[in-house]
Amino acid sequence: MNNWIPIAALHEIPQLGARVVKTDTQDIALFRTKNDQIFAVKDQCPHRQGPLSQGIVHENSVTCPLHNWKIDLTTGEAQGPDEGCVATYSTKVEEGMVYLALDAESGI
Amino acid sequence: MQEKLILIGNGMAGIRTLEELLKLEPERYQITVFGAEPHPNYNRIMLSPVLAGEKTLNDIILNDRDWYAENHIQLITGDPVVRIDRTRREVVTQSGASAHYDRLLLATGSNPFIIPIPGHDKQGVIGFRDIADVEAMLSAAQTHAKAVVIGGGLLGLEAANGLLKNGMDVTVVHLLDSLMERQLDKPASALLKTSLEERGLHFMMEAQTAEILGDERVTGVRFADGAELAADLVVMAVGIRPNIQLAQAAGIHCERGIVVNDTLQTFDPRVYAVGECVQHRQTCYGLVAPLFDQAKVAANHLANLGIARYEGSVTSTKLKVTGIDLFSVGDFNEAEGDETLVLQDPGAGVYKKLVLRDDKIKGAVLYGDTLDGAWYFQLMREGSSITDFRHTILFGQHDLGDAGHGDETRVAALGNEAEICGCNGVCKGEIVDAIVKKGLFTLEEVRAHTKASSSCGSCTGLVESILASTVGQGYTAAPSKKPLCGCTEYSHDEIIQAIKQHQLKDMDVVRQFCEWKTPDGCATCRPALNYYLLANWPGEYQDDAQSRFINERAHGNIQKDGTYSVVPRMFGGLCSPADLRAIADACEKYDVPEMKVTGGQRIDLFGVKKADLPAMWKDLSTAGLVSGHAYGKALRTVKTCAGKNWCRFGTQDSTGLGVQLEQMTWGSWMPHKFKMAVSGCPRNCAEATIKDFGVVCVDSGYELHVGGNGGIKVRVTDLLCKVETEQQVLEYSAAFIQKYREEARYLERTAPWVERVGLQYVKDALFDQTQREALHERFLYSQQFAQIDPWKERAEGAEKHEFEKIEIAA
Ligand code: SRM
Ligand SMILES: Cc1cc2nc3c(=O)[nH]c(=O)nc-3n(C[C@H](O)[C@H](O)[C@H](O)COP(=O)(O)OP(=O)(O)OC[C@H]3O[C@@H](n4cnc5c(N)ncnc54)[C@H](O)[C@@H]3O)c2cc1C
Ligand code: SF4
Ligand code: FES
């Protein structure tokens, strides 16, 4: 029962990059991988709230710009020895348009 | 079905055991913790700094309630267990609750020993053990003036120091004639007493307390010889007794403590015990280091791995009174046949003593300079012979006098097995490993990852020095011959070589050629590859924004709150009223919360919202200001001094030359940041001799200096050569930069680069006219593509997506 909201055309998000989606209450980071998968997580690193959208994207992960935590975008979990989790959101791409559903899937 | 594990005693040893257990077997048990105190687990050691007002209670919580919840541990606080029923495998609490166990872990700690003299139960007589005691002391300090601390040991002195800091008049009463007699020899003890007296503590030595005076509340203390001392608060710190009542009542074998074997098992195989309540091989411990060793072993057995044994610990002591450095270990009172080495420097307040037997360390006492404690401790534990360095051993592991880096070099010289954090048993190797592998930069991160310095904090200085010596060496994830990162087996040098030799001009091609294991690389290798390609193929390679660290992508320094700082370039530090006006206007227009003159002779505007950056840059760029690249692995600043135009000592136009240098070099990307300076005379006001490239003007020309930096590890430049004209300065600097740009490893600054390749190598290249000219030319060529102001481009709309958020209503 997802409430899909159209966000942007796929090409408006850089490959291996991100855009910030601002809602009334928070910022969500929308990532595009090399093979055009889209992931959405809350734009707040579980470590010290670093803006994940500003990190470097590789495969299905992003490295936080502040202290290099690596977050798995599929689950929102921090990788390696670091422990923490960020809320993830469902996304889909249809006919070049990216949609986001705002009920958090996991995390807080 | 999960087995049930109950822990009695929500303290340091018990919870550490659970932490170790969760690392090994997170799912095995359903865990319940009973704690008599109303708090989650806190760092008992830190009660002393809390009492002294250096920390708050909040600072010392080790595991907050969320931690228990996250690990599915049921925590019951403020309700002590009063009975263990071993036949029914049940514990019962004061409030009548009961719980069943399959395994039971006892970690009830110890109780302060209260001397059973008349009056010992009066109001105002307390021990020093828990938060409640500290709260009692703090509130007494508010309403009362005089405190007596009975006991001149570690705990007593820390209590006394804390009460003194809270404004009380404090007398320490000690039974013997020297303080901390179990940890110090007489000379060190005397030094300690003197410096505590200087702080305002009073002492009554060789005094035996006979009675506590007063009605309901204490009013004073009477001694065996009849003397009396007024007191509103009496703290008894004369020792601790393992807390064994509960175990004893349950019929578990106890002597002084709960008796355990090498697996921390009591006489009831279902019941384990750790911590101060335990007696192992006839010994009861009162410091955390051995307890944490026990915790590891107990956890191993609770996890049913059954491979670890606890064989006892050797402990060392430090006193946590800020400003007093004291360390002792082993047997430091010499017996017959022992030899003693002593270094005494009363002026500096330093005393060091080593007791030797057969040229091996038996014990050590250090006062005033304790840095080498860890080293002596290690030599002692390993039974190393010190014959070879006996004559210098008291001066420490490394000679001093190394330009302000005494600690750091000494720490650098420590072996990997040297224990740094005694509380948590963390050695240097583990810390270095964590710093390098996990990219740690701060003390807190090291604490989080290794636990070093997270308990008593007395090794903080050492940890910081390790951090400095590890991180300082070029801030690099790329020591020689190591793979660039986890994505490939190729080293930096091999990759640079491959790019040049095989004309690799695209990131994917490089990755393919160098057998990358990941499709996109990672946050370590992508910026490096992007740089190498850019430096080797200027004009051909298309810069990849997504492979740049955010600062270089957004052309500002990201701040801890996610805003950015903006630093416009001021060529050679010069500026005009119009520049300043434009900066001032921009500050007002975009609500810049703070402006600051930087250490690089220009102005930093802090706290700019990311979305405002392009507009602000547009205003600055209209006024003729360009990016200062204060965020980049790039040419940063060229500092200058007043020079010949104004200064009475100036020999050349240092300001003008600095401006020329900056005009030629701005915008160029580098392996690391690159800074220059020009000083007008050898007084060197522009600090040219700690820059990557520095010029010192002299009457007859210009001295050129290379490979310096300030920062974590200061390095003074090497003199490259002397030249006669400004034109030569420009040519040499460009050639030097280009050599560095083409050959250094990414994130290797000029200082470590020059040290690695050798000054002679650099000289050979630059003194050869053909090579120098070619380097110079290649530099100028690449600058054609680099000197495009990134701010202007973005103000005109480039990379818009970087700065605009997509707004939706939700
Ligand atoms: C703004 C400034 C401090 C100031 O207010 O004076 C500054 C600020 C920062 N410095 Fe610096 N450094 C500043 C002058 C210096 C100087 C002094 C100088 O340039 O003469 C030094 C010592 C000289 C040197 O570099 O050799 C200096 C040595 C460092 C170092 C250590 C470098 C080293 O090789 O050890 C770092 C860490 C690094 O680069 O990895 C650093 C890193 C930083 C960073 C970028 C930390 C970071 O990664 O976020 C700081 C950014 C703050 C921010 O958010 O804006 N900063 N930094 C100075 C900017 C100068 C400028 O106009 O561009
Ligand atoms: C002021 C001070 C300074 C210190 N400084 C240092 C130092 O610098 N370096 C160092 O190494 N060590 C230091 N120590 C010693 C160190 O704090 C102890 O060795 C360590 O805390 C012991 O751990 P533990 O788990 O055995 O006992 P504790 O940490 O005391 O934990 C035992 C817990 O069990 C609870 N408990 C007891 N009985 C029951 C029951 N029946 N039911 C439920 N709960 C119960 C207690 O309330 C307590 O919370 C210091 C101690 C103090 C008090
Ligand atoms: S010294 Fe430099 S890096 Fe450190 S806090 Fe100051 S500005 Fe930041
Ligand atoms: S805030 Fe993300 S790693 Fe620290």
Side-chain angles (χ1 to χ4, degrees):
Chain A
M1 259 244 328
N2 279 331
N3 229 340
W4 293 111
I5 309 168
I7 301 294
L10 184 63
H11 68 80
E12 290 176 277
I13 308 168
Q15 256 189 357
L16 290 176
R19 293 292 301 266
V20 182
V21 178
K22 183 174 158 54
T23 76
D24 297 345
T25 52
Q26 58 167 337
D27 281 358
I28 293 173
L30 202 61
F31 296 92
R32 175 174 171 193
T33 66
K34 177 91 143 258
N35 49 21
D36 292 344
Q37 269 183 289
I38 298 287
F39 293 104
V41 306
K42 188 178 164 98
D43 195 11
Q44 233 182 44
C45 178
H47 178 221
R48 297 244 197 88
Q49 288 85 51
L52 293 171
S53 57
Q54 322 283 296
I56 288 185
V57 185
H58 37 94
E59 292 179 74
N60 295 339
S61 322
V62 64
T63 298
C64 177
L66 293 198
H67 319 94
N68 286 326
W69 277 32
K70 222 166 96 182
I71 309 293
D72 184 334
L73 296 173
T74 57
T75 60
E77 302 261 0
Q79 296 173 345
D82 304 319
E83 282 171 33
C85 187
V86 57
T88 59
Y89 301 89
S90 308
T91 57
K92 66 174 180 181
V93 185
E94 267 173 22
E95 295 175 24
M97 194 65 194
V98 177
Y99 297 82
L100 175 65
L102 274 188
D103 331 283
E105 281 187 329
S106 67
I108 337 137
Chain B
M1 224 195 60
Q2 271 185 317
E3 288 179 86
K4 292 200 164 83
L5 172 65
I6 288 183
L7 164 62
I8 304 179
N10 185 29
M12 298 185 73
I15 296 301
R16 176 56 71 91
T17 310
L18 295 188
E19 288 180 338
E20 299 282 352
L21 175 63
L22 291 169
K23 275 196 242 165
L24 301 169
E25 281 280 357
E27 309 290 343
R28 182 174 194 99
Y29 294 101
Q30 190 185 322
I31 304 174
T32 307
V33 176
F34 291 94
E37 295 184 68
H39 312 280
N41 179 37
Y42 60 89
N43 189 342
R44 195 171 303 284
I45 299 182
M46 283 303 181
L47 289 177
S48 303
V50 170
L51 180 64
E54 291 160 5
K55 289 240 171 341
T56 67
L57 284 178
N58 246 345
D59 292 340
I60 68 167
I61 297 296
L62 289 171
N63 304 76
D64 57 15
R65 288 179 189 270
D66 289 347
W67 177 84
Y68 294 86
E70 278 158 20
N71 290 291
H72 312 293
I73 295 170
Q74 192 187 359
L75 173 63
I76 292 152
T77 51
D79 190 12
V81 172
V82 291
R83 192 158 54 84
I84 303 170
D85 184 337
R86 290 197 293 136
T87 20
R88 297 169 63 178
R89 300 213 310 260
E90 210 174 69
V91 304
V92 182
T93 71
Q94 196 167 50
S95 73
S98 68
H100 178 81
Y101 66 82
D102 295 301
R103 302 240 199 154
L104 178 64
L105 177 61
L106 298 174
T108 46
S110 46
N111 294 318
F113 180 60
I114 304 288
I115 320 168
I117 40 173
H120 71 268
D121 48 4
K122 288 195 197 314
Q123 222 189 335
V125 181
I126 55 173
F128 184 17
R129 182 67 193 176
D130 54 25
I131 289 185
D133 294 333
V134 171
E135 282 170 345
M137 286 192 242
L138 290 175
S139 87
Q142 297 218 321
T143 45
H144 295 90
K146 280 185 160 310
V148 167
V149 174
I150 303 179
L154 196 85
L155 218 55
L157 295 181
E158 292 187 3
N161 176 60
L163 292 169
L164 183 74
K165 290 226 172 149
N166 280 288
M168 291 192 92
D169 175 11
V170 187
T171 305
V172 176
V173 175
H174 196 48
L175 191 59
L176 301 173
D177 64 348
S178 67
L179 296 173
M180 288 181 71
E181 73 284 346
R182 288 202 314 200
Q183 290 93 7
L184 296 181
D185 66 348
K186 295 218 163 149
S189 177
L191 280 171
L192 174 65
K193 184 157 167 271
T194 311
S195 75
L196 290 171
E197 276 166 348
E198 278 164 10
R199 288 161 179 242
L201 280 181
H202 306 296
F203 290 95
M204 273 183 70
M205 307 301 281
E206 295 180 88
Q208 188 181 353
T209 319
E211 187 181 348
I212 309 279
L213 308 172
D215 295 330
E216 215 162 291
R217 190 180 175 90
V218 52
T219 56
V221 177
R222 178 178 300 138
F223 300 95
D225 64 2
E228 288 185 13
L229 193 63
D232 314 304
L233 175 72
V234 172
V235 179
M236 293 233 197
V238 291
I240 52 172
R241 295 287 176 272
N243 184 359
I244 59 174
Q245 290 98 316
L246 195 60
Q248 223 165 13
I252 295 169
H253 179 61
C254 298
E255 291 172 5
R256 264 181 309 142
I258 304 169
V259 177
V260 294
N261 62 18
D262 285 1
T263 67
L264 283 316
Q265 209 169 27
T266 67
F267 278 52
D268 177 341
R270 287 190 182 271
V271 182
Y272 286 76
V274 291
E276 282 187 352
C277 61
V278 154
Q279 177 181 335
H280 171 264
R281 297 194 187 180
Q282 296 308 318
T283 308
C284 297
Y285 294 97
L287 293 168
V288 293
L291 311 186
F292 290 172
D293 290 345
Q294 294 173 357
K296 255 198 184 118
V297 176
N300 184 285
H301 287 276
L302 285 171
N304 267 11
L305 298 175
I307 42 174
R309 280 179 65 196
Y310 177 69
E311 302 183 20
S313 311
V314 188
T315 56
S316 63
T317 309
K318 288 180 184 174
L319 179 72
K320 302 187 302 300
V321 170
T322 304
I324 296 185
D325 293 322
L326 177 164
F327 175 92
S328 88
V329 64
D331 202 350
F332 46 79
N333 285 314
E334 55 274 43
E336 225 187 280
D338 291 346
E339 292 175 282
T340 312
L341 305 182
V342 178
L343 183 152
Q344 232 161 340
D345 181 349
V350 172
Y351 170 81
K352 302 184 187 184
K353 166 167 143 184
L354 295 178
V355 177
L356 309 178
R357 167 155 288 194
D358 302 331
D359 262 4
K360 290 178 187 155
I361 297 181
K362 249 182 77 182
V365 181
L366 308 178
Y367 187 90
D369 174 5
T370 54
L371 188 73
D372 284 296
W375 183 44
Y376 298 143
F377 191 13
Q378 191 194 356
L379 291 170
M380 180 178 124
R381 267 180 313 186
E382 293 175 354
S384 314
S385 164
I386 62 150
T387 315
D388 291 344
F389 43 96
R390 198 183 140 117
H391 57 295
T392 57
I393 188 167
L394 281 174
F395 301 117
Q397 188 164 22
H398 216 73
D399 291 346
L400 300 161
D402 192 353
H405 281 278
D407 279 13
E408 194 189 309
T409 7
R410 284 157 84 188
V411 170
L414 286 177
N416 274 339
E417 320 71 40
E419 184 175 75
I420 300 297
C421 174
C423 293
N424 292 288
V426 186
C427 56
K428 184 184 156 195
E430 287 173 62
I431 299 175
V432 172
D433 235 44
I435 294 172
V436 173
K437 292 214 181 103
K438 294 172 189 154
L440 310 185
F441 291 97
T442 64
L443 183 63
E444 269 165 85
E445 288 170 350
V446 173
R447 283 183 180 150
H449 283 264
T450 65
K451 294 222 181 267
S453 146
S454 64
S455 295
C456 86
S458 60
C459 63
T460 302
L462 288 174
V463 174
E464 283 178 330
S465 295
I466 293 177
L467 199 58
S469 69
T470 311
V471 175
Q473 276 149 19
Y475 246 70
T476 175
S480 57
K481 279 191 223 105
K482 288 247 176 70
L484 194 161
C485 68
C487 300
T488 177
E489 295 300 323
Y490 282 63
S491 68
H492 278 270
D493 293 343
E494 289 166 335
I495 293 165
I496 298 172
Q497 189 62 21
I499 290 176
K500 288 190 210 299
Q501 210 165 29
H502 301 277
Q503 308 247 325
L504 313 178
K505 298 188 180 176
D506 171 281
M507 222 183 280
D508 278 329
V509 176
V510 178
R511 280 198 286 254
Q512 212 175 358
F513 189 91
C514 298
E515 299 169 327
W516 244 248
K517 294 172 254 180
T518 51
D520 316 334
C522 69
T524 302
C525 61
R526 284 239 303 279
L529 291 190
N530 190 53
Y531 169 76
Y532 290 146
L533 290 165
L534 207 58
N536 278 287
W537 314 114
E540 284 177 80
Y541 174 70
Q542 186 62 42
D543 189 22
D544 177 26
Q546 302 312 329
S547 295
R548 282 189 179 272
F549 181 64
I550 181 62
N551 286 354
E552 294 184 357
R553 190 145 33 88
H555 291 278
N557 267 307
I558 193 165
Q559 312 286 296
K560 59 184 192 178
D561 63 355
T563 61
Y564 285 80
S565 66
V566 168
V567 187
R569 199 168 282 287
M570 286 184 176
F571 289 84
L574 288 180
C575 61
S576 68
D579 294 341
L580 293 179
R581 207 168 280 129
I583 291 172
D585 287 345
C587 270
E588 282 179 353
K589 186 161 163 195
Y590 300 101
D591 293 329
V592 168
E594 186 161 283
M595 297 173 74
K596 172 176 185 309
V597 174
T598 72
Q601 298 188 343
R602 45 204 194 163
I603 295 173
D604 200 342
L605 317 180
F606 289 105
V608 182
K609 292 183 255 343
K610 195 178 183 193
D612 284 342
L613 287 172
M616 182 165 172
W617 291 338
K618 182 158 193 278
D619 293 358
L620 294 173
S621 136
T622 310
L625 294 161
V626 302
S627 165
H629 290 88
Y631 45 80
K633 305 297 174 221
L635 187 276
R636 294 276 176 96
T637 54
V638 182
K639 300 214 300 194
T640 68
C641 69
K644 190 165 87 175
N645 291 352
W646 301 100
C647 175
R648 64 202 164 106
F649 296 116
T651 60
Q652 310 282 353
D653 176 13
S654 52
T655 323
L657 180 56
V659 172
Q660 287 185 61
L661 275 170
E662 192 160 356
Q663 273 165 348
M664 174 179 75
T665 53
W666 75 269
S668 57
W669 296 108
M670 304 272 188
H672 205 305
K673 59 172 113 180
F674 194 97
K675 299 178 179 181
M676 297 200 265
V678 188
S679 285
C681 83
R683 287 169 192 75
N684 196 9
C685 297
E687 300 161 322
T689 47
I690 52 161
K691 294 288 171 267
D692 296 276
F693 188 88
V695 183
V696 176
C697 303
V698 289
D699 250 345
S700 53
Y702 307 85
E703 284 175 9
L704 307 183
H705 297 260
V706 298
N709 64 209
I712 301 165
K713 200 171 174 195
V714 182
R715 182 180 192 273
V716 173
T717 45
D718 294 311
L719 178 65
L720 181 71
C721 62
K722 215 182 110 189
V723 298
E724 277 161 21
T725 66
E726 289 189 342
Q727 193 43 47
Q728 284 173 306
V729 175
L730 293 172
E731 183 177 310
Y732 272 85
S733 67
F736 175 76
I737 289 175
Q738 188 62 10
K739 185 86 182 155
Y740 167 66
R741 294 181 73 226
E742 289 177 3
E743 296 182 10
R745 300 168 187 158
Y746 189 62
L747 295 190
E748 181 177 41
R749 223 176 143 178
T750 58
W753 176 65
V754 167
E755 280 181 7
R756 178 166 67 84
V757 301
L759 181 66
Q760 195 54 46
Y761 173 84
V762 178
K763 283 184 171 171
D764 288 347
L766 296 195
F767 295 171
D768 176 298
Q769 194 187 341
T770 332
Q771 273 198 61
R772 182 175 68 246
E773 284 174 5
L775 284 165
H776 179 208
E777 212 165 287
R778 287 208 291 282
F779 179 71
L780 294 184
Y781 172 75
S782 79
Q783 281 299 80
Q784 288 175 35
F785 311 98
Q787 287 195 329
I788 298 163
D789 179 28
W791 287 358
K792 184 151 186 271
E793 277 184 303
R794 279 151 192 78
E796 286 165 358
E799 306 275 334
K800 242 167 109 165
H801 60 81
E802 182 69 60
F803 304 95
E804 284 177 2
K805 293 185 180 177
I806 303 171
E807 298 202 18
I808 59 171

